[in-house]
Amino acid sequence: SQTIHQWPATLVQPVGSPLSLECTVEGTSNPNLYWYRQAAGRGLQLLFYSVGIGQISSEVPQNLSASRPQDRQFILSSKKLLLSDSGFYLCAWNPQGRNTHNEQFFGPGTRLTVL
Amino acid sequence: RKEVEQDPGPFNVPEGATVAFNCTYSNSASQSFFWYRQDCRKEPKLLMSVYSSGNEDGRFTAQLNRASQYISLLIRDSKLSDSATYLCVVNTGFQKLVFGTGTRLLVSP
């Protein structure tokens, strides 16, 4: 069965510091991968998605970036965090091709607080 | 107008009650629809997918009305463990899911 991992689970970082969040998927190959952010009291906002290694689509311009160095690894980064980057960061995946309805499955998330 | 709108609640119901949530969406080209459940400080988990007019899974029934652009979720015989936030989600096109802000349900003894 497929499993999605995210780490760290919780992170407290000062303003202006760098960020690296990692997501890995097991039990599948060539998945679509997604990064979302959920701010307090708000809905999930799609940040990036990837349909393959090195292929990144950005949904919202901001000081975050994403990379997919390996098939089942998705990384969210920032060079300098802002207070507004605080939130719950969720990685999601779904299989390519067969899933035309686009159900997505989420990892446990990273709760980021920027002080 | 938001792409997906839900009543934030909370809906406070006793155990055993039947409760229904509605959700409206603005993109008439939306292809598929989902309900996710999110517990406090946890990730969303897929509850039901709605591809045609609706479907049923045990105590849960989801219905879709394309003409009026709304989706509903009915929960029968509510359990304490049903307390959570229910997210209405719409597939607006390739790789794009749009999430509502959720409806909070509190089931009391």
Side-chain angles (χ1 to χ4, degrees):
Chain A
S1 64
Q2 298 85 11
T3 310
I4 180 168
H5 302 279
Q6 284 186 250
W7 62 90
T10 306
L11 193 59
V12 180
Q13 292 284 97
V15 169
S17 63
L19 174 74
S20 181
L21 302 181
E22 189 164 344
C23 169
T24 59
V25 181
E26 294 178 356
T28 188
S29 58
N30 199 27
N32 295 320
L33 294 171
Y34 308 83
W35 277 113
Y36 288 87
R37 176 172 59 204
Q38 187 175 35
R42 304 183 67 176
L44 273 74
Q45 179 186 36
L46 178 63
L47 302 175
F48 301 95
Y49 68 90
S50 171
V51 299
I53 295 174
Q55 300 179 63
I56 308 294
S57 295
S58 175
E59 288 296 302
V60 183
Q62 53 206 321
N63 70 322
L64 299 172
S65 62
S67 62
R68 186 169 176 176
Q70 299 181 42
D71 180 45
R72 290 170 290 175
Q73 183 185 32
F74 204 21
I75 296 173
L76 183 70
S77 303
S78 173
K79 292 182 179 178
K80 287 186 177 183
L81 284 168
L82 306 172
L83 286 174
S84 57
D85 291 324
S86 294
F88 191 33
Y89 287 83
L90 291 153
C91 181
W93 77 278
N94 64 3
Q96 288 205 30
R98 292 173 286 117
N99 181 20
T100 59
H101 298 287
N102 202 28
E103 291 104 333
Q104 295 176 15
F105 304 95
F106 287 86
T110 295
R111 196 161 298 276
L112 172 66
T113 303
V114 182
L115 300 176
Chain B
R1 182 184 174 187
K2 290 183 180 178
E3 287 190 81
V4 178
E5 293 201 69
Q6 297 182 251
D7 182 340
F11 284 60
N12 290 282
V13 302
E15 273 187 292
T18 296
V19 62
F21 311 135
N22 286 332
C23 165
T24 59
Y25 61 95
S26 60
N27 187 339
S28 60
S30 299
Q31 296 298 309
S32 50
F33 310 87
F34 312 97
W35 285 100
Y36 280 72
R37 170 196 169 124
Q38 187 173 24
D39 292 293
C40 187
R41 301 181 70 82
K42 297 289 188 180
E43 75 274 23
K45 294 185 177 177
L46 181 64
L47 179 65
M48 297 184 75
S49 302
V50 189
Y51 300 146
S52 55
S53 60
N55 55 302
E56 184 174 322
D57 182 4
R59 298 183 294 109
F60 299 85
T61 300
Q63 290 192 315
L64 168 65
N65 185 317
R66 287 189 186 272
S68 301
Q69 294 182 208
Y70 79 80
I71 315 114
S72 64
L73 177 68
L74 182 77
I75 305 175
R76 290 179 296 276
D77 189 23
S78 297
K79 311 291 185 189
L80 293 176
S81 57
D82 293 334
S83 296
T85 297
Y86 291 84
L87 306 177
C88 175
V89 185
V90 175
N91 179 11
T92 60
F94 182 69
Q95 308 306 340
K96 303 289 178 66
L97 292 186
V98 179
F99 287 74
T101 53
T103 297
R104 192 171 172 208
L105 172 65
L106 299 173
V107 182
S108 55

